[in-house]
């Protein structure tokens, strides 16, 4: 599936007004160049926001179920194009095709969900305390939404933000990640082919400066962001100062608890997928494994044996289990954290180095396990965003929960136990937005 590698503003594909561009390469094989993309500046952002603001009233005037028909058509097209988009995504950001197919499927599901919700934008009527008065509410769009997303789920995450916003009658200025811009464009092209009017969805490419310009622009009425904790915090400060609505999806340091009565085979599947799926480059990745002392040694051995069997390689190869890190900076960051863990006194039990994979010069890193980790160590507290698992040994459910909650993050968590009471206790005791 081809798509212009340009900005998309008010129905027109265009380069950055500065003429500047940046290159994107395949992280499994950096000599494979995906293409050059516009490095947008303030003028490009201004034009995109103006186009969105001009188009929004007409989009809002369209009956919501009619907007839903376009979203449903987009879901149908995504279904038809799933295979092509998945392979393009793997080439651009590295994770195996079986994962990128799941990424596209999430967008498909979101398209159908958002389309259905256009028939459920209910208001409310409320009894009035005054005579001859009626109280009622209706749902209204916010206006122009600035959407800034990460590279690790370059179709799924934009779909979560863009499709519901469109369903509600908002217009969009979208800045895809500079690490996976073509994947974002394939998603956008699908919406255009489904019949989205000019100006309702606009795209500006660029790095962090472009995103900051969009966030700080006075016009967008709301901002949605997926990315790092530090950047998200900065965006929250900017939006607070400008009185903008803001939605943030940031980092995690997610615990997985394995109690003494757990099904270890089931837990093994969760640990391997959670820690090393997407090469650990997920905000919901399992980065902390908390094991009861009675199963600690056995389970760590199981994890390490399974991790050693994982096949690293180009994600387009059907035999590949784990793809590369996204770029050289990520490779250097993960390498540095391995050194930090060793300096802090944790035991490097498995991996810990760049991996050589066939003839590929990509950014591959061995699945890595640290044991003897203390809760206050940096590798236990800071998001590494790589295939690094820190293991803790505890003596009770209560200690496991205390270790799990000892973090500034609170994104996802998991517990493996055959005791339903402990499972239900964990729902309340674990301070995370998600508990598996």
């Amino acid at each position: 599936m081809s798509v212009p590698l340009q900005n998309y503003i008010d129905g027109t594909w265009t380069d950055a007004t500065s003429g500047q561009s940046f290159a994107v390469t395949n992280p499994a094989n950096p000599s494979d160049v995906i293409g050059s993309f516009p490095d947008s500046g303030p003028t490009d952002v201004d034009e995109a926001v103006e186009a969105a603001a001009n188009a929004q009233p007409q989009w809002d005037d369209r009956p919501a179920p009619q907007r839903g028909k376009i979203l449903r058509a987009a879901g149908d097209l995504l279904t038809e194009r799933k295979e092509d988009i998945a392979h393009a995504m793997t080439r651009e950001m590295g994770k195996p095709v079986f994962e990128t197919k799941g990424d596209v499927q999430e967008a498909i599901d979101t398209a159908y969900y958002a389309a259905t919700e256009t028939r459920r934008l209910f208001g409310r009527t409320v009894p009035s305390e005054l005579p001859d008065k009626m109280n009622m509410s209706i749902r209204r769009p916010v206006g122009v939404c600035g959407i800034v997303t990460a590279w690790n789920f370059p179709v799924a995450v934009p779909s979560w933000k863009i499709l519901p916003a469109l369903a509600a009658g908002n217009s969009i200025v979208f800045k895809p990640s500079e690490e996976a811009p073509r994947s974002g464009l394939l998603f956008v092209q699908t919406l255009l082919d489904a019949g989205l009017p000019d100006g309702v969805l606009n795209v500006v490419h660029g790095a962090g400066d472009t995103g900051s310009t969009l966030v700080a622009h006075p016009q967008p009425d709301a901002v949605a962001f997926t990315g790092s904790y530090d950047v998200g915090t900065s965006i929250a400060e900017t939006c607070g100062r400008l009185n903008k609505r803001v939605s943030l999806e940031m980092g995690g340091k997610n615990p997985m608890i394995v109690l003494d009565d757990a099904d270890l085979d089931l837990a093994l599947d969760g640990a391997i997928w959670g820690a090393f799926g997407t090469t650990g480059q997920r905000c919901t990745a399992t980065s902390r494994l908390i094991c009861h002392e009675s199963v600690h040694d056995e389970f760590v051995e199981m994890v390490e044996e399974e991790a050693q069997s994982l096949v690293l390689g180009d994600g387009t190869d059907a035999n590949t289990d784990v793809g590369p890190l996204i770029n050289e900076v990520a490779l250097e960051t993960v390498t540095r954290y391995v050194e930090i863990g060793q300096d802090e006194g944790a035991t490097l039990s498995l991996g810990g180095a760049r991996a050589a994979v066939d003839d590929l010069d990509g950014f591959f890193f061995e699945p890595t396990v640290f044991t003897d980790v203390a809760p206050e160590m940096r590798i236990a507290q800071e998001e590494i965003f790589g295939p690094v698992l820190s293991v803790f040994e505890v003596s009770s459910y209560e200690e496991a929960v205390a270790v799990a909650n000892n973090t500034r993050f609170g994104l996802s968590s998991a517990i493996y136990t055959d005791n339903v009471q402990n499972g239900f206790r964990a729902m309340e005791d674990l301070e995370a937005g998600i508990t598996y």
Side-chain angles (χ1 to χ4, degrees):
M1 178 181 173
S2 63
V3 64
L5 306 185
Q6 295 176 293
N7 290 339
Y8 184 75
I9 300 175
D10 202 15
T12 300
W13 295 98
T14 181
D15 294 324
T17 55
S18 66
Q20 300 297 310
S21 62
F22 61 94
V24 175
T25 61
N26 180 345
N29 182 17
S31 62
D32 176 21
V33 179
I34 307 298
S36 293
F37 296 79
D39 192 2
S40 305
T43 300
D44 305 297
V45 172
D46 285 343
E47 292 177 354
V49 171
E50 182 180 5
N54 290 337
Q56 192 273 325
Q58 289 77 28
W59 179 242
D60 175 30
D61 284 344
R62 184 175 299 212
Q66 295 298 319
R67 299 196 296 263
K69 287 184 177 180
I70 293 176
L71 301 183
R72 178 167 292 279
D76 293 341
L77 289 173
L78 285 168
T79 301
E80 294 174 12
R81 300 171 181 180
K82 180 177 179 178
E83 193 80 24
D84 289 343
I85 294 175
H87 277 82
M89 195 190 312
T90 292
R91 180 184 170 214
E92 186 172 46
M93 55 76 61
K95 65 186 178 184
V97 168
F98 71 86
E99 288 195 55
T100 53
K101 286 182 182 178
D103 197 305
V104 180
Q105 186 61 50
E106 292 193 38
I108 293 168
D109 295 341
T110 304
Y112 292 145
Y113 176 77
T116 302
E117 284 298 297
T118 59
R119 294 183 178 272
R120 291 168 45 86
L121 298 177
F122 304 139
R124 301 180 67 185
T125 58
V126 183
S128 173
E129 64 182 17
L130 300 175
D132 303 320
K133 299 290 183 181
M134 178 180 178
N135 294 332
M136 62 181 293
S137 65
I138 60 173
R139 293 183 180 271
R140 302 291 299 129
V142 172
V144 177
C145 298
I147 308 294
V148 181
T149 59
W151 53 265
N152 55 343
F153 287 86
V155 170
V157 170
S159 78
W160 301 343
K161 303 178 188 302
I162 291 173
L163 297 177
L166 291 173
N170 300 284
S171 60
I172 307 293
V173 178
F174 172 37
K175 193 205 85 69
S177 168
E178 65 273 22
E179 300 291 349
R182 183 167 182 257
S183 298
L185 287 179
L186 292 173
F187 172 65
V188 168
Q189 184 65 62
T190 301
L191 282 165
L192 302 181
D193 292 346
L196 202 66
D198 293 349
V200 174
L201 175 57
N202 306 273
V203 182
V204 288
H205 295 286
D209 289 346
T210 306
S212 297
T213 300
L214 176 59
V215 170
H217 193 285
Q219 178 63 50
D221 303 283
V223 171
F225 168 77
T226 295
S228 72
Y229 179 91
D230 291 339
V231 174
T233 299
S234 175
I235 288 174
E237 292 171 351
T238 300
C239 291
R241 175 169 47 83
L242 297 174
N243 291 316
K244 293 186 180 186
R245 292 176 172 86
V246 61
S247 168
L248 302 175
E249 183 185 7
M250 303 190 292
K253 195 67 181 173
N254 310 295
M256 172 179 159
I257 297 172
V258 180
L259 295 183
D260 54 346
D261 59 352
D263 179 336
L264 295 188
D265 290 328
L266 180 65
L268 178 62
D269 288 340
I272 293 296
W273 172 246
F276 306 123
T278 323
T279 324
Q281 299 172 118
R282 292 195 303 252
C283 56
T284 55
T286 300
S287 55
R288 295 185 294 151
L289 175 61
I290 304 169
C291 293
H292 190 278
E293 58 189 7
S294 65
V295 298
H296 173 276
D297 292 352
E298 178 185 0
F299 191 65
V300 170
E301 184 178 346
M302 291 171 66
V303 169
E304 292 181 353
E305 182 179 353
E306 188 70 16
Q308 285 178 300
S309 71
L310 295 173
V311 176
L312 277 61
D314 188 325
T316 59
D317 186 333
N319 295 317
T320 294
D321 298 310
V322 179
L325 293 164
I326 187 63
N327 55 31
E328 190 168 6
V329 172
L331 183 69
E332 293 170 353
T333 297
V334 175
T335 301
R336 185 172 68 253
Y337 270 106
V338 170
E339 296 170 353
I340 289 170
Q342 292 175 296
D343 291 343
E344 289 180 314
T347 300
L348 180 60
S349 187
L350 180 72
R354 183 172 187 170
V357 177
D358 299 330
D359 297 325
L360 299 174
D361 190 26
F363 308 114
F364 298 97
F365 201 89
E366 298 171 337
T368 298
V369 177
F370 275 104
T371 55
D372 304 313
V373 180
E376 302 303 329
M377 290 181 178
R378 288 182 62 187
I379 60 169
Q381 291 292 329
E382 299 175 12
E383 188 177 34
I384 299 172
F385 225 63
V388 180
L389 181 64
S390 297
V391 184
F392 306 79
E393 184 174 354
V394 297
S395 60
S396 66
Y397 166 87
E398 290 76 16
E399 185 182 1
V401 169
V403 172
N405 288 342
N406 183 13
T407 175
R408 67 175 177 173
F409 302 102
L411 186 55
S412 72
S413 61
I415 183 167
Y416 285 80
T417 177
D418 277 345
N419 185 326
V420 69
Q421 183 178 9
N422 282 337
F424 275 83
R425 288 174 66 192
M427 295 180 197
E428 295 188 0
D429 294 343
L430 292 174
E431 296 172 0
I434 302 170
T435 296
Y436 297 101

